Structures are given as C-alpha cells and as structure tokens.
Amino acid sequence: MFHSSKSRAAWGAALAAVLLTAGCGGSDDASADAADYDPDAPVTLTVGTFGTMDLDNAGLYDEYMELHPNVTIKQNNVAQSAAYYKSLQTRLAANSGLDDVQALEIGFIADVVRNHADAFVDFAAEENADELEGNFYDWKWGQASTSDGETIALGTDTGPQAMCYRKDLFEQAGLPTDRAEVAELWPTWEAYLEVAEQYMASPTKPADSAFVDSPASIFSSSVYQGDLAYNDEEGNPIPAESDGVQQAWDYASQAADEGLTANLSQFGDEWNAAFSNGAFATIACPAWMLGYINSQMGETGAGLWDIAPLPGSDESASNWGGSFLGVPADGPNAEAAKDLVEWLTAPEQQVKMFTRAAHFPSSPQAAEDPEVVGATNEYFGSAPTGEIFGESAANIQRTPIGPYDTQIQEAFTTALTDIASGGADPAEGWDNALKAAQQATGG
C-alpha cells in the first residue's frame, strides 16, 4: 500500500462528518471477556481500511470466512488515508464508532504509538508474542512498538526501494541498459549523480528529458539510509542534527541546483503525464511503484522500464510505505478480531498478498518463500522483482520514526523545489527547510 503527502490534501470536515455517522462498528460496548471467548460463536467483524489495501481483492476475507463459517467480515474502506485517519482520531478520542480491526498507515503509526497505544490490543503481551514477533522484520515490528515494549499492530505490506529506469532513454544517451551493468553504475549516491551528469550532457538524449523526476525522489529515498532520519531514538524531531537528513539534503540539493531533475511534484497531474512523455529517465521505486507506473503508461510502457538496486542499498536500504492492522482493546469482538489480524498478517497470507496483488511482505519468511523470491515482472523486462525487493527489505535498518515525519519531509522537499526552480541557493534552502520544519513540529 502506498501513501504520502499526496493524500494529506484530502482532509475535509465534510467527509469526516460523513465517516463519523457511517456506523462502522461499536467499540462503546463492553470489551469481550477473553475467558468467555468462544471461537465458534457467530460474529460479524468490521475492518476499517483505506486506499487499495487489497485484503478483499486478494480473496483473504473469503478464505478466512470459508475456514471459519461462523465469521462474517465487513470492510469499511475510505479512499484517502488522510481522511481515514482524521476520522479515526475523532473516534479514538470519543472511544466510539471504532471498527473491530483498524488499518494504520506508516505515516500515522508513530502518532498512534505515542498518543493512542492504550486504545489498542498489545500483541507483545499475547501468549504467542515471540512467534508473532518472529513473523516480521525487526524494523517493521519496531515501528508499531512503544518504548516500553507494547506492540499495538501487526504489519501488512512494506515498500522496500529500488531504482526504476527507462531503458530506451538510457540507450539514446549512450548508457548501458542491462540491469546488472546499470547496478554497477551507481553503488553510491555520489556515483548516481555522476551518471546523472553524464545523461544530461549527452547530445543524443531527448532534449526535454531530465535524469530523475524530482529532488524528492532522491531526498525521500536516501534520508532513511542514515543512522537517524527525522528523529532521535525517543522519536523527537532532530532534522538539523540528523546524519540521514544532512546526507539526503546534500545529494538532493546538488541534483536540484545542477538541473538534473525534472522538478515535478510527485503524484501531481504533470508528474503522472511525465511517465509517458519521457520527461525523466529514473525514479526511486518502492515495490508498489511498479503498479503505479504500469497504470500510468499502460501497454505502451511494457518493456521500456527496468529495475536496478537503489544507490547505497548494499549497506543500508530504504523503505517507503507499508501498513498495519490494529485491534481496539475495548471492542466487543476483540478476541475474534485478534485471531483475524494474526491470520491476515501471517507469512502464508503475505505470500498470497504479493503473488495476487503485488504487496511486498513485511515478513522475512514470506519474502524468502520461493513464490516471492522467484517472482519476475514481465512489464519491467522480466526483472526479478522478488529478489531485488527482498534484498532491499533485508537491508533496511530500523530508523526511529515520529508523528511529524510527513511535515518535516514536506518542508525539505518544498525547499528543494525552490532550488530546482532557480529561486534559492542550497544554503538558503536548508535554512528555509529547517524553519518550516520547526514551525510544523512546534520546535
């Protein structure tokens, strides 16, 4: 599942009001007593989701109901994650209207961990907690865990990153197109920028084509390759002191200042159109981006793209995206909901989610399953996607996240856009980004 600042713009009081009156479950009833829980008793479970999580489209609900004839699953989906979370926050404050299962997006999980942990079942306190924890990458488990060891949700998908590139544009610019050779071109971000300069200097490349779509592509994918990104170990914002922010800024501001990017606003209309018109040759590519590129280009794009590792990913990879499933602790069907969440996020189901709907697993066992490891993508030149993204996921380190990560990232990407537009130099942009980040975080 993908998500970012693009969905934040969808916030709206009218939509939230509609959601609040939709009657999505009833957590104001007394919590089911675990001692009296009958797993065979008839129960209807509501699952609150956002966007395209595909739990329904992959057939998992139907499969669970077939295995458990006493269970009926009803999904309440909201298209935009920001509107979904705004409604969820209101329901948490009122302790009313919560679904039996609530999906939580990576951009909001830190807020839930910090401010609403008591409202959710602690999976780390379950009898099978060790088994559950072993089902997930440690960084994924840690993202949903409090400082005192509570784990308020279980992971669904992840967004390990690679670099997608246009083979036809590379060929026109005189660059190699074989993915193994391309991987050797940019073992580091410094090398990637050198290739970008070669591309831009090529007399045979399309005149209106840049090397990368946006400075944000470089910044947002490299920032998590540092020891720290936006926060310290306690989740407090520290963008001015972070090694990840500083190195990401250095790379992205150089690309912006030297005109190596198309300076497009990611997920905007011009950016969407640029996939087809060849406006850029590379883009940072989490696993879910493959489907996005396919949807933008359709059949005409088949075979034009390929995939190579993200620069620097041999030492530290990067993640963009991913979601979780939590169970409100006071829900009337909490015990049955826990069973459902544990089943939906088990390695076996994560393999199905990848093979049926292309959501990359948050479970190392699932990522190492032959069906995942051996997966290829014909649209991207039969690239070994299971292998590429599996190696990336295995090299992701746990970087502390916080409730203001999206706002901080927006502050820096806005400053980078100003540089790429010629309105600011990098030093001025850095100062502007820090000021905007401080205002957003109240620092």
Side-chain angles (χ1 to χ4, degrees):
M1 179 64 210
F2 66 89
H3 13 62
S4 71
S5 60
K6 66 184 185 298
S7 63
R8 308 290 193 265
W11 287 35
L15 179 55
V18 171
L19 296 172
L20 286 169
T21 57
C24 295
S27 67
D28 49 356
D29 295 331
S31 177
D33 188 341
D36 297 331
Y37 170 53
D38 180 1
D40 297 319
V43 62
T44 296
L45 298 175
T46 58
V47 181
T49 61
F50 52 84
T52 311
M53 295 188 69
D54 284 325
L55 296 166
D56 51 348
N57 296 327
L60 296 192
Y61 294 154
D62 289 338
E63 187 173 343
Y64 190 83
M65 288 187 287
E66 185 175 346
L67 294 171
H68 304 83
N70 60 307
V71 176
T72 299
I73 299 173
K74 294 184 177 180
Q75 177 172 278
N76 297 313
N77 184 261
V78 177
Q80 298 289 344
S81 64
Y84 168 89
Y85 191 61
K86 187 177 179 70
S87 174
L88 178 59
Q89 285 179 304
T90 304
R91 294 174 180 179
L92 286 169
N95 194 28
S96 178
L98 291 162
D99 285 306
D100 295 306
V101 175
Q102 294 282 177
L104 301 168
E105 185 243 18
I106 182 65
F108 305 122
I109 192 67
D111 178 61
V112 179
V113 167
R114 176 173 291 194
N115 299 313
H116 305 288
D118 291 345
F120 287 87
V121 165
D122 176 15
F123 285 98
E126 296 296 298
E127 291 184 1
N128 61 337
D130 289 344
E131 177 185 351
L132 290 175
E133 183 174 1
N135 284 343
F136 300 93
Y137 290 110
D138 58 357
W139 53 268
K140 183 72 173 182
W141 179 267
Q143 288 174 337
S145 299
T146 66
S147 58
D148 57 358
E150 296 180 18
T151 301
I152 56 92
L154 300 181
T156 54
D157 59 330
T158 60
Q161 296 207 74
M163 186 69 74
C164 292
Y165 65 96
R166 282 278 296 262
K167 291 186 291 186
D168 57 332
L169 299 181
F170 270 42
E171 184 175 13
Q172 291 179 53
L175 294 172
T177 60
D178 177 78
R179 73 177 64 94
E181 294 181 38
V182 171
E184 293 178 358
L185 289 178
W186 56 58
T188 65
W189 282 104
E190 291 87 353
Y192 174 83
L193 293 174
E194 290 177 2
V195 178
E197 292 167 353
Q198 294 175 35
Y199 181 86
M200 296 303 294
S202 171
T204 55
K205 78 167 184 66
D208 55 353
S209 178
F211 189 66
V212 60
D213 65 314
S214 166
S217 221
I218 297 173
F219 185 86
S220 60
S221 55
S222 60
V223 68
Y224 290 106
Q225 291 176 303
D227 293 328
L228 296 172
Y230 302 119
N231 309 280
D232 61 20
E233 295 292 348
E234 286 71 46
N236 301 309
I238 56 159
E241 294 82 36
S242 163
D243 67 317
V245 170
Q246 184 63 67
Q247 68 182 18
W249 175 264
D250 290 344
Y251 302 141
S253 62
Q254 177 184 339
D257 191 44
E258 295 181 2
L260 306 179
T261 88
N263 198 27
L264 295 165
S265 177
Q266 292 185 323
F267 303 101
D269 291 340
E270 290 186 19
W271 185 77
N272 287 334
F275 282 101
S276 296
N277 64 29
F280 55 85
T282 69
I283 181 172
C285 213
W288 50 262
M289 186 68 79
L290 306 189
Y292 196 92
I293 293 173
N294 191 328
S295 70
Q296 294 303 313
M297 296 192 68
E299 294 181 2
T300 61
L304 293 181
W305 290 89
D306 211 320
I307 313 168
L310 193 74
S313 59
D314 284 348
E315 295 183 3
S316 178
S318 180
N319 180 77
W320 178 8
S323 299
F324 304 80
L325 297 176
V327 175
D330 292 337
N333 305 307
E335 294 300 318
K338 283 193 294 185
D339 288 346
L340 174 60
V341 167
E342 290 182 17
W343 187 87
L344 288 173
T345 60
E348 297 81 2
Q349 277 59 257
Q350 294 203 32
V351 171
K352 297 169 189 173
M353 285 296 294
F354 179 73
T355 57
R356 299 174 186 177
H359 292 271
F360 198 82
S362 58
S363 163
Q365 295 95 318
E368 294 165 6
D369 185 277
E371 286 193 77
V372 177
V373 174
T376 60
N377 190 306
E378 183 177 355
Y379 191 89
F380 287 79
S382 298
T385 50
E387 180 181 335
I388 291 172
F389 291 115
E391 291 179 0
S392 177
N395 285 334
I396 293 170
Q397 61 183 357
R398 181 184 175 186
T399 304
I401 60 176
Y404 298 106
D405 285 13
T406 297
Q407 293 89 330
I408 297 172
Q409 181 167 303
E410 287 179 349
F412 280 92
T413 54
T414 297
L416 288 165
T417 298
D418 291 342
I419 295 171
S421 300
D425 63 34
E428 179 185 0
W430 172 260
D431 290 340
N432 291 338
L434 288 180
K435 290 177 183 177
Q438 289 169 354
Q439 290 176 351
T441 62

